Amino acid sequence: MSTSSQEKSKVISNISGAEAVIRCLLEEGVETLYGYPGGAIMPIYDELYKFQDILHHVLTRHEQGATHAAQGYARTSGKVGVAMATSGPGATNLVTGIADAQIDSTPMVCITGQVASHLLGSDAFQETDIIGISTPVTKWNYQITKASEIPEIMARAFYIARSGRPGPVLIDITKDAQFEHFDFGYKKCTGIRSYQPYPILDQVKVDEAIALINQAKKPFIVWGQGVILGQAESEFKTFVEISGIPAAWTILGLSALPTDHPSNRGMVGMHGNYAPNLLTNECDLLIAIGMRFDDRVTGDLNTYAKQAKIIHLELDPAEVNKNVTADITLLADCKISLQRLNEKITPKSYPEWIQRFDELDAIEYKKVIHHDLHPTKPGLTMGETIEMINRFSKGNAVIVTDVGQHQMVACRYAKFNQSKSNVTSGGLGTMGFALPAAIGAKMGAPEREVVAVIGDGGYQMTIQELGTIFQQRLAVKIVVLNNDFLGMVRQWQQLFFDKRYASTEMVNPDFVKIAEGYYIQAKRINQRDELENAVKEMIASDQPYFLEVCVEKEDNVFPMIPSGASVSAIRLE
């Protein structure tokens, strides 16, 4: 394997493969990792014990929790998250988090133990083919059977995970390779032949894009997480301010531009805002930046933005013309693409076009937002709960959401002043994501307030991670919006299945007692006059805090685009 490298570290004679793994992590600047021990990875854990003063291992309560925690850590810190597990069920329990990281482009290195190499393929105790299982959901994976392979493979793993479009890498290490001794030296990987993570931008295409932008009458920007991953927030803000073009976000792009920025027109997609969804099919130029035209954003591809010219700023060639054919593609890191565009675009304003957004915003406010934030019914709404969190967090908190109605409401109404503030499961839609992800998010940004907003269904999928919060003494704030339903599925059943609520009503435990069992301060509220003081107390606490908010059982999230329908078919009720 040919790998260009920086200066090699000092050779350490005759160390075990297990110790080499730990030294590789230290060479890559890893300070925190998440995992769960077991037989096939025990040699690595034994070596980890010797380095515990400089390498902090977080014992999660389930291997899936380790991957989600590593994701949360990566999303707020911008570093590579690291998770470890043993072979067999330990390794397979990582797969959901790995798949989530793959589709959401989260840099992560997972290390799994494996049975001894002479037992491979024999159905030995706790043997699974984790390489075969994880191949479809990793950016790269590799099985190590010789200790001497460890330094180069680990260096490659971190380089591949963080470079280009980030993603998860899995390294499986047989037990005999962990015990085997060799002379250790480490070289950071800085390039791999045939792997080109950063395409070279075509200046001719840039000039063509500038010409289209300068002549557009009704241009519209949709941006995604590529802006955040490319650390292009400043360039993007400059672009929207010079161009004067209204912009909307996918849920993973949320927080790249401050919520109250005048060019920020809200969210696109199934439960996005009325104006940006409708006007996608009225604009004459659609500029897609760091987004992949997911089906939840586009709806029916046969009717999506057919009237518009399309410019796509994208890093990953696999996403180009995959779902939507672009007229011009700027294939490069969007930080570079935006810098080039900013040099030549003409400052403009679009008063009539902006007025069209304002008119549709007013309709949405009257029919949806006012009900969500200023309800007349006695029951609490999810929207007013998020609004109360905004009041006391002042837009400076990291909001971690699970998947469901609460996720859509939080994305719609949460206020953000800085990037890397919205942590959620986007493409895979993993229930159970939020609680462990909030652990990692807090450890990745310990100076920031971290609030996990979770539904009563998803919360119970990883509720055991309350033990990790308690053991690590993390001041994570947990808000469960409890409607005693799997709310998003129930909404679909109400609207499209004649209210046949099949297997969606929840009979829930006493969440407050469970939290208190983990020595976490807890409170339950169900009256509007209790909400302000409860949220104020939660945000003011310097300890972990659990708040259960009992909300309307059958409240729905609108606007809504029916699955597979055109974005123009968006419903307000």
Side-chain angles (χ1 to χ4, degrees):
M1 297 180 184
S2 176
T3 304
S4 60
S5 314
Q6 298 173 354
E7 185 177 351
K8 189 172 182 178
S9 62
K10 182 180 177 181
V11 173
I12 304 174
S13 298
N14 195 34
I15 69 169
S16 69
E19 182 180 344
V21 171
I22 303 304
R23 291 192 177 276
C24 290
L25 295 176
L26 294 173
E27 290 280 354
E28 290 292 341
V30 175
E31 299 172 339
T32 303
L33 68 158
Y34 305 87
Y36 205 97
I41 202 167
M42 205 173 295
I44 292 175
Y45 270 89
D46 186 56
E47 290 298 332
L48 182 62
Y49 181 83
K50 304 171 187 176
F51 290 85
Q52 59 186 315
D53 291 341
I54 54 175
L55 188 55
H56 180 46
H57 176 269
V58 177
L59 174 64
T60 57
R61 297 309 188 256
H62 191 282
E63 292 91 351
Q64 181 181 346
T67 52
H68 293 328
Q71 288 177 273
Y73 179 87
R75 294 272 284 274
T76 59
S77 70
K79 301 176 182 178
V80 176
V82 180
M84 292 203 309
T86 194
S87 63
T92 58
N93 282 343
L94 297 177
V95 172
T96 296
I98 292 170
D100 196 285
Q102 172 79 341
I103 201 165
D104 282 354
S105 305
T106 303
M108 183 165 67
V109 170
C110 292
I111 301 165
T112 54
Q114 184 55 274
V115 300
S117 56
H118 73 278
L119 293 174
L120 290 173
S122 69
D123 292 332
F125 178 68
Q126 291 193 333
E127 180 197 0
T128 57
D129 179 10
I130 194 60
I131 295 299
I133 291 169
S134 65
T135 293
V137 293
T138 50
K139 191 175 177 184
W140 183 60
N141 63 15
Y142 190 90
Q143 186 174 77
I144 293 175
T145 59
K146 297 289 184 183
S148 58
E149 296 180 289
I150 289 172
E152 182 177 2
I153 297 304
M154 290 290 287
R156 280 187 165 221
F158 277 88
Y159 175 71
I160 291 170
R162 68 164 67 97
S163 61
R165 180 179 178 176
V169 171
L170 182 138
I171 304 302
D172 192 43
I173 310 176
T174 60
K175 197 167 185 179
D176 53 323
Q178 297 173 49
F179 280 122
E180 186 181 6
H181 282 62
F182 75 113
D183 294 339
F184 172 85
Y186 196 76
K187 295 190 290 186
K188 277 194 175 183
C189 179
T190 59
I192 300 171
R193 190 174 62 186
S194 80
Y195 171 52
Q196 302 295 330
Y198 302 102
I200 298 174
L201 182 60
D202 185 339
Q203 184 61 43
V204 173
K205 296 291 185 182
V206 173
D207 294 336
E208 292 174 355
I210 290 168
L212 272 186
I213 294 169
N214 287 341
Q215 69 189 27
K217 304 298 183 186
K218 296 191 293 184
F220 179 42
I221 296 166
V222 177
W223 86 85
Q225 190 186 200
V227 173
I228 298 171
L229 295 175
Q231 302 179 45
E233 294 93 340
S234 176
E235 289 80 4
F236 177 65
K237 183 171 180 284
T238 299
F239 178 69
V240 297
E241 289 177 347
I242 294 175
S243 69
I245 300 174
W249 36 269
T250 69
I251 62 169
L252 292 181
L254 175 56
S255 83
L257 190 70
T259 309
D260 61 1
H261 192 284
S263 292
N264 189 335
R265 306 305 307 209
M267 179 169 70
V268 292
M270 180 171 281
H271 290 285
N273 293 101
Y274 193 49
N277 274 309
L278 273 182
L279 298 183
T280 297
N281 281 357
E282 292 185 23
C283 66
D284 62 2
L285 176 65
L286 179 62
I287 307 170
I289 305 175
M291 55 86 75
R292 57 188 181 87
F293 292 110
D294 177 77
D295 64 293
R296 284 295 175 100
V297 168
T298 65
D300 180 12
L301 285 170
N302 293 318
T303 61
Y304 183 78
K306 291 300 182 182
Q307 78 295 335
K309 295 286 188 181
I310 295 176
I311 300 172
H312 193 184
L313 280 67
E314 177 57 52
L315 179 65
D316 184 359
E319 296 296 347
V320 173
N321 299 329
K322 184 175 79 173
N323 296 324
V324 173
T325 301
D327 295 277
I328 298 172
T329 299
L330 301 185
L331 189 60
D333 189 320
C334 68
K335 187 179 186 75
I336 296 172
S337 300
L338 288 167
Q339 287 172 347
R340 298 278 185 88
L341 292 175
N342 289 339
E343 292 170 358
K344 294 186 178 180
I345 55 173
T346 302
K348 293 179 73 173
S349 61
Y350 305 89
E352 294 181 1
W353 180 229
I354 298 298
Q355 184 179 352
R356 180 84 172 112
F357 279 86
D358 293 341
E359 291 167 352
L360 294 173
D361 285 347
I363 293 171
E364 182 182 354
Y365 185 86
K366 181 178 179 180
K367 292 194 173 185
V368 178
I369 297 174
H370 187 268
H371 158 76
D372 287 347
L373 302 186
H374 308 287
T376 55
K377 293 181 180 180
L380 284 162
T381 69
M382 297 184 184
E384 66 182 316
T385 306
I386 301 301
E387 186 76 346
M388 192 63 71
I389 292 171
N390 290 334
R391 183 189 302 182
F392 290 102
S393 69
K394 303 186 188 307
N396 295 319
V398 175
I399 305 292
V400 185
T401 51
D402 214 79
V403 173
Q405 286 182 317
H406 70 278
Q407 176 192 34
M408 296 295 101
V409 171
C411 287
R412 284 174 53 79
Y413 296 124
K415 305 295 184 185
F416 296 116
N417 298 325
Q418 57 183 300
S419 188
K420 296 186 177 70
S421 296
N422 174 55
V423 178
T424 194
S425 173
L428 195 63
T430 304
M431 292 178 68
F433 171 87
L435 189 61
I439 292 169
K442 182 65 176 176
M443 299 184 80
E447 75 287 354
R448 300 190 64 187
E449 191 75 67
V450 173
V451 181
V453 178
I454 318 176
D456 50 307
Y459 180 58
Q460 293 178 83
M461 288 191 171
T462 51
I463 195 170
Q464 70 277 357
E465 298 307 334
L466 290 174
T468 309
I469 291 173
F470 164 62
Q471 184 171 352
Q472 297 296 319
R473 296 182 173 86
L474 294 172
V476 172
K477 312 301 169 59
I478 305 156
V479 179
V480 167
L481 300 178
N482 184 3
N483 58 11
D484 293 312
F485 268 108
L486 299 177
M488 185 62 81
V489 183
R490 184 213 56 77
Q491 177 169 334
W492 282 50
Q493 290 171 333
Q494 176 185 335
L495 297 176
F496 307 116
F497 293 89
D498 297 325
K499 296 186 178 181
R500 292 188 295 275
Y501 296 154
S503 302
T504 48
E505 188 164 9
M506 304 285 288
V507 179
N508 288 318
D510 188 328
F511 290 129
V512 169
K513 285 185 178 179
I514 292 172
E516 289 176 341
Y518 285 100
Y519 306 99
I520 294 171
Q521 185 177 355
K523 178 175 288 188
R524 176 190 299 112
I525 64 167
N526 53 28
Q527 301 295 323
R528 185 161 291 116
D529 60 8
E530 301 173 303
L531 180 61
E532 180 176 356
N533 285 337
V535 173
K536 181 179 180 180
E537 181 179 280
M538 177 185 73
I539 296 296
S541 175
D542 61 358
Q543 300 295 319
Y545 193 108
F546 173 83
L547 176 62
E548 178 184 0
V549 182
C550 300
V551 297
E552 285 277 359
K553 287 190 68 170
E554 297 187 52
D555 220 2
N556 290 330
V557 181
F558 287 103
M560 179 181 183
I561 301 168
S563 181
S566 168
V567 292
S568 299
I570 187 169
R571 298 172 52 170
L572 292 173
E573 55 190 9

